């Protein structure tokens, strides 16, 4: 009988041990998942760590350190600079299109200088589209006006609309409206540049 009792006690102890072990494992899993699910650090934030061999402190900068704040400010400043350049491109597109419209109204034709402006207008519009999150695709050529005067007028209207869309779009937003509008504008610009296409 004593053998049976000691055997049961041993089984109970093993069962308790296994239950405690499984509880410990279950409690550790969320912590392990949290650590493995953390995103990688932003580029540019992994600057050289200061080498301070004289003190016993950690060599990594502390959270909220001056260096970290400076790096974050530099990143924000660079993003703002890119956004300001994006806005300036949209304004230049609108200005170039307005100049081309005035030239065409006056002469009913384009000269070589105007051809360069049309080329720049197309390049800037492509850049705006790409900065807005678009990619190289065939331009939308559905609504090409029937004559050159209407097409040039349409380019000026669309360029101004594109400028307004870009100005309304926040810095960190991918805008399908800007991308679609830029693609449509590129199609009309290409028609104006080469109407025999």
């Amino acid at each position: 009988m004593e053998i049976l009792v000691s055997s049961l006690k041993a089984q109970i102890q093993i069962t308790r041990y296994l239950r405690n072990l499984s509880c410990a494992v279950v409690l550790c899993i969320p912590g392990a998942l949290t650590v493995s699910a953390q995103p990688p650090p932003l580029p540019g934030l992994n600057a050289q760590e200061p080498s301070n061999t004289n003190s016993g402190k950690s060599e990594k900068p502390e959270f909220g350190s001056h260096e970290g704040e400076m790096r974050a400010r530099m990143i924000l400043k660079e993003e703002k600079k890119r956004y300001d350049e994006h806005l300036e491109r949209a304004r230049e597109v609108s200005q170039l299109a307005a100049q081309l419209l005035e030239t065409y109204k006056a002469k009913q034709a384009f000269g070589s200088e105007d051809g360069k402006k049309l080329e720049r207008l197309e390049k800037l519009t492509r850049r705006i589209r790409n900065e807005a999150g678009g990619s190289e695709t065939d331009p939308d050529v559905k609504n090409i006006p029937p004559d050159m005067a209407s097409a040039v007028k349409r380019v000026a209207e669309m360029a101004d609309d594109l400028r307004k869309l870009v100005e309304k779009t926040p810095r960190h937003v991918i805008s399908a409206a800007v991308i679609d509008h830029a693609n449509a504008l590129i199609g009309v610009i290409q028609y104006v540049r080469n109407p025999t296409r």
Side-chain angles (χ1 to χ4, degrees), residues 1-57:
M1 185 72 157
E2 287 181 25
I3 295 176
L4 186 59
V5 170
S6 64
S7 173
L8 283 173
K9 284 183 182 179
Q11 285 180 346
I12 291 172
Q13 285 179 342
I14 290 174
T15 305
R16 284 182 184 162
Y17 174 76
L18 289 175
R19 187 177 345 126
N20 291 339
L21 182 63
S22 63
C23 286
V25 168
V26 168
L27 291 175
C28 290
I29 288 175
L33 291 176
T34 303
V35 169
S36 67
Q38 290 181 351
L42 293 173
L45 290 181
N46 293 338
Q48 297 279 335
E49 294 178 353
S51 58
N52 187 359
T53 54
N54 295 338
S55 69
K57 295 181 179 178

Side-chain angles (χ1 to χ4, degrees), residues 78-90 123-136 162 166 169-176 178-179 182-183 186:
E78 181 63 30
E79 286 177 357
K80 177 149 180 19
K81 179 184 172 194
R82 284 198 312 259
Y83 181 70
D84 290 343
E85 289 170 353
H86 185 63
L87 289 175
E88 190 54 41
R89 277 190 287 276
K123 284 181 181 178
L124 287 170
T125 305
R126 287 180 186 277
R127 183 87 185 267
I128 289 168
R129 178 199 55 202
N130 295 346
E131 289 287 323
S135 60
E136 292 293 327
L162 181 62
V166 169
T169 304
R171 185 168 37 183
H172 298 290
V173 173
I174 295 175
S175 173
V178 170
I179 295 166
N183 279 331
I186 291 168

Side-chain angles (χ1 to χ4, degrees), residues 48-51 57-63 65 67 71:
Q48 297 279 335
E49 294 178 353
S51 58
K57 295 181 179 178
S58 171
E59 292 184 6
K60 292 185 179 181
E62 295 178 23
F63 179 73
S65 69
E67 293 88 8
R71 277 186 246 116

Side-chain angles (χ1 to χ4, degrees), residues 87-134:
L87 289 175
E88 190 54 41
R89 277 190 287 276
R91 291 179 186 123
E92 186 178 350
V93 162
S94 182
Q95 290 170 351
L96 282 172
Q99 290 171 5
L100 288 165
L101 177 62
E102 291 304 314
T103 300
Y104 194 82
K105 282 181 180 178
K107 300 178 185 175
Q108 295 299 311
F110 287 128
S112 63
E113 195 65 34
D114 299 319
K116 291 177 183 176
K117 285 182 180 180
L118 279 166
E119 183 179 348
R120 175 136 178 90
L121 182 62
E122 184 176 343
K123 284 181 181 178
L124 287 170
T125 305
R126 287 180 186 277
R127 183 87 185 267
I128 289 168
R129 178 199 55 202
N130 295 346
E131 289 287 323

